[in-house]
Every structure is written in C-alpha cells, then in structure tokens.
Amino acid sequence: GQNIDQPTEMTATEGAIVQINCTYQTSGFNGLFWYQQHAGEAPTFLSYNVLDGLEEKGRFSSFLSRSKGYSYLLLKELQMKDSASYLCAVRDGKSRAAGNKLTFGGGTRVLVKP
Amino acid sequence: NAGVTQTPKFRILKIGQSMTLQCTQDMNHNYMYWYRQDPGMGLKLIYYSVGAGITDKGEVPNGYNVSRSTTEDFPLRLELAAPSQTSVYFCASSYGIAGGNEQFFGPGTRLTVL
C-alpha cells in the first residue's frame, strides 16, 4: 500500500517563494506527480519525477529523493492565481495490469496574499 | 479534442435511488479511472480500467460498479445511493504507463445523497 503525507495548508505573499513538501511510504515506486487544483475545478498536471533531482518548469520546480521517500514542489514569484490546492501522487506499478494507478496525498491548500 | 467529458455536472439523489455517471474521452486512451473527492481531501480511486472489457477495483469500490465496453466510455453505476456517497466524482484517462504519462481529468460530477 501507499501512505502519502503533505501539509494541509500554507500561506504566502505575492511575489514570494513557497515550498510544499511530500513524503511517501510505498510498496513500489514508479514516479511521482504533482497536480494543481483550483477550488471547484478538476486537477491539472504540473510535474513528474521518476529519478532523483530537480525538474524545472518555468516558475514551478519539483524535486525527488527516492532514498528518503521525499519530494517537494517549489513555486517561485507567487501570483494570486497560484492560490489552489496542490496534490502529490505516487505511481506504484510498472506493469499494464497495475494500470498506471496513482495514490494521492490529501493535498496542500496554498493561499497567496497580496 | 474535447478531452474527458462527464455528465451530469450536478445531481441530487434520495437514499436508495440509483444512477449512472457518464464519462467519455476522445483521446484514444487505454487507461481510465474513477475517483471520488470528499471536501478538503485528496482523491480516492474507486475503479480503473486498462482497456475495453477489463476493469478492476481501486481503494474504495464498495457501492459502485463499472463497465468498459468501448475505449471511449467508462460509466460508473451507483445502485443504492447512501449519504456516504455524497462527494465529487472525477473521471480521468491516460495514454500509457511509461514515463510521465499523466492522467487527464474531467470536470467532475457533484453528487448529493439526501
């Protein structure tokens, strides 16, 4: 099974940087995903890590350490539109039967203040 | 492409009623999923499918049924609605299991059982 932990809520100021941590304990590991979800909307894909290290995509970066079961999502130059929930999800299987299934954490609600 | 579409957007059911949540994708994805999301929580996998004719249980399948007769459609059936099934239901699809094949989500169905 999978156990994924992330903080419930974070507050930051417009223009600042926020780091959202995610720790996981899994029976298998085949990649970690970050999704953004605005209130009342569907999740949308932000980033994917399968090897250790940092992946950068514009203002968003995601880091993975497989040995520590740890990832973080870094949001730079925060904008008001970044106010949303951020979901960490782990994919456990490599086979077709495993179905590319994701196990999601509870999500971190980020509030950006002016 | 419309992506993943879901109907209805909203529904109120009485205890014991039945209904089918519809999900269609036009991206020719093999993999499809049903999740539920309770307020302030992450996503829980109900059922998934790795291709037409193949379905399997996720983390919270009790009270639900699915079928997958075509690549495009993956309906979710609630047979005897209970208040515990009040939630937002998201359908998702993905192309494959390798690399960063993210899941694409539909807009959700908001279901209330009274």
Side-chain angles (χ1 to χ4, degrees):
Chain A
Q2 316 276 36
N3 186 40
I4 301 171
D5 290 312
Q6 46 181 135
T8 306
E9 197 167 291
M10 302 180 75
T11 302
T13 305
E14 196 176 11
I17 298 173
V18 70
Q19 177 174 315
I20 305 167
N21 296 326
C22 172
T23 58
Y24 61 90
Q25 295 168 310
T26 63
S27 55
F29 180 84
N30 188 25
L32 187 143
F33 293 77
W34 284 96
Y35 282 80
Q36 181 189 58
Q37 186 178 25
H38 285 101
E41 297 183 9
T44 55
F45 170 75
L46 281 180
S47 70
Y48 166 74
N49 296 71
V50 68
L51 299 177
D52 291 351
L54 190 67
E55 294 282 341
E56 296 189 82
K57 238 189 202 184
R59 294 189 299 113
F60 294 170
S61 304
S62 56
F63 171 82
L64 176 67
S65 168
R66 289 172 296 170
S67 62
K68 295 182 179 176
Y70 169 69
S71 173
Y72 68 72
L73 180 70
L74 197 68
L75 285 63
K76 294 176 270 193
E77 300 169 18
L78 278 172
Q79 301 176 8
M80 298 300 290
K81 67 178 182 179
D82 297 329
S83 289
S85 288
Y86 293 85
L87 309 175
C88 173
V90 171
R91 180 171 64 193
D92 60 0
K94 295 184 180 180
S95 69
R96 180 173 185 260
N100 199 28
K101 297 197 305 293
L102 298 179
T103 300
F104 284 82
T108 299
R109 192 170 145 213
V110 172
L111 179 61
V112 180
K113 293 187 172 179
Chain B
N1 284 354
V4 181
T5 56
Q6 292 182 238
T7 56
K9 285 189 169 51
F10 303 92
R11 185 72 186 268
I12 298 175
L13 282 183
K14 293 182 180 177
I15 294 171
Q17 285 186 319
S18 302
M19 78 165 293
T20 300
L21 282 67
Q22 301 292 346
C23 175
T24 300
Q25 53 91 9
D26 63 358
M27 297 175 282
N28 201 31
H29 285 172
N30 291 318
Y31 299 86
M32 295 188 75
Y33 314 85
W34 274 106
Y35 295 91
R36 60 175 287 171
Q37 186 175 36
D38 298 331
M41 306 291 284
L43 298 158
K44 301 279 188 192
L45 182 66
I46 305 171
Y47 270 95
Y48 69 101
S49 170
V50 302
I54 307 171
T55 63
D56 206 347
K57 295 177 182 178
E59 188 181 353
V60 290
N62 291 346
Y64 307 94
N65 274 302
V66 294
S67 59
R68 183 101 182 267
S69 55
T70 66
T71 300
E72 295 78 20
D73 300 307
F74 190 41
L76 177 73
R77 178 88 179 153
L78 282 72
E79 288 295 347
L80 291 169
S84 61
Q85 293 178 304
T86 294
S87 191
V88 180
Y89 291 84
F90 288 103
C91 179
S93 71
S94 69
Y95 178 67
I97 60 173
N101 270 299
E102 75 266 29
Q103 294 184 14
F104 294 84
F105 286 82
T109 294
R110 281 146 187 81
L111 176 67
T112 302
V113 182
L114 301 173

